[in-house]
Amino acid sequence: MDEHIVEAVGRTRVTIRNGEVVSVEAPVISRCPLARRFAFPVDEITPDAVRENVNNRIRSFGMCTPDRELSSTDDFVGFGASELAGTGLSAGIIDAAVIACDGAGTVVVTAPEMVQGIGGRMSGLVKTSPLQAVISGITTRGGIVADPDQASLDPVAGVTAARRAGYTRLLVTVGSADDAEAVRAGDPDSLIIVVHTTGMTAADASRVAAVADIVTACASGHVRDVCGKKALMQAGTTVPVFIMTCRGKELLIARIAVLPHPLLVTHAALPAPGEKRPDPLV
């Protein structure tokens, strides 16, 4: 039996076994403007709505199943972690991305379309089981699975695997202050993006602000307050992305350069509020 645990819309914990949703816990937030723009939109975040959203992902691209699609050329948001990572690979700013994948755990990928296919549609991954079809799909496309036996989630192990393979300019996505600090301590040159921050404490937001290059605010009030005030740049207002370092700024500017739609760039005190935001901020 394979088991996968994700924290989906509204940081709702969902357990999937053998391709079936078996449990959905209570959502942490009730509304998110971004969730209304999903391929399977969620207006009011309830357990039933989250269940349907996750079931749609299982049906449409095989999330948490052996049929998992691994490549995509679709941008889902303007400044998401996978979109930024894919742009970094295309622009030569990085040569590999260390990310999490359901069915494989921590992986190292070098193709922009694989970064997008894996990360663009996946929620926060808490636990996963190895699925050999997914692992083979990654490795045959030139990727590396850090722990194919257990599919563990360990960004430090991913960095080690990437370095061993000869990659030197890494981008690493992490979901906690502990992982951000561990990656920074073990590989000071990595470009770190912190994701999945809903519910982060003020203390952890301060730790993240000290070591991360980019932080996504999700529905975190503490990240908006702590990281927002220290940021060099902010991308978006509904779900802000805070740029904490000059290296993060370089990546954001590269992303801006390839976006086809009009953009407004201006001076502002940060964090810059927007008319819409997740509710409540936690």
Side-chain angles (χ1 to χ4, degrees):
M1 178 182 70
D2 61 85
E3 180 176 87
H4 314 268
I5 301 174
V6 300
E7 290 186 337
V9 192
R11 197 154 191 167
T12 309
R13 184 162 290 208
V14 180
T15 301
I16 302 162
R17 295 188 187 128
N18 300 321
E20 299 288 337
V21 174
V22 297
S23 70
V24 181
E25 297 183 6
V28 174
I29 65 173
S30 58
R31 293 183 182 275
C32 177
L34 183 60
R36 296 172 183 166
R37 305 205 304 265
F38 287 170
F40 190 88
V42 177
D43 185 12
E44 183 179 357
I45 303 174
T46 65
D48 285 344
V50 173
R51 181 186 292 272
E52 286 304 308
N53 178 272
V54 172
N55 277 327
N56 179 263
R57 297 191 220 186
I58 294 170
R59 292 191 301 267
S60 63
F61 65 93
M63 187 177 77
C64 298
T65 76
D67 297 323
R68 177 65 148 90
E69 295 178 6
L70 296 169
S71 296
S72 176
T73 57
D74 296 328
D75 287 342
F76 301 105
V77 293
F79 303 106
S82 59
E83 286 81 5
L84 288 166
T87 296
L89 288 168
S90 297
I93 296 171
I94 58 171
D95 59 9
V98 179
I99 61 176
C101 179
D102 48 289
T106 295
V107 300
V108 182
V109 297
T110 59
E113 62 273 14
M114 191 184 298
V115 173
Q116 189 65 4
I118 291 172
R121 296 173 291 190
M122 191 182 69
S123 296
L125 189 61
V126 177
K127 175 185 178 294
T128 193
S129 299
L131 297 172
Q132 291 307 312
V134 177
I135 291 169
S136 296
I138 291 169
T139 57
T140 57
R141 291 172 172 84
I144 300 168
V145 178
D147 179 13
D149 294 329
Q150 301 296 324
S152 58
L153 298 170
D154 186 346
V156 173
V159 169
T160 299
R163 292 290 184 187
R164 189 181 298 124
Y167 300 114
T168 59
R169 291 171 288 118
L170 306 181
L171 179 148
V172 187
T173 61
V174 301
S176 71
D178 286 346
D179 283 344
E181 289 177 339
V183 170
R184 180 62 72 216
D187 192 70
D189 294 330
S190 287
L191 203 162
I192 298 173
I193 302 182
V194 180
V195 299
H196 200 52
T197 60
T198 298
M200 182 170 280
T201 66
D204 280 355
S206 294
R207 293 167 63 197
V208 160
V211 297
D213 296 283
I214 298 174
V215 185
T216 61
C218 301
S220 171
H222 291 309
V223 166
R224 282 169 170 77
D225 184 52
V226 176
C227 297
K229 290 177 180 177
K230 296 181 178 180
L232 302 180
M233 295 180 70
Q234 174 181 327
T237 55
T238 301
V239 180
V241 177
F242 296 119
I243 313 303
M244 310 304 297
T245 67
C246 290
R247 293 184 67 216
K249 184 188 290 189
E250 178 188 10
L251 181 59
L252 178 65
I253 291 172
R255 178 65 186 161
I256 289 172
V258 300
L259 289 175
H261 48 73
L263 296 165
L264 170 66
V265 179
T266 185
H267 294 284
L270 302 181
E275 295 180 1
K276 300 178 182 179
R277 67 181 191 180
D279 182 55
L281 296 180
V282 296

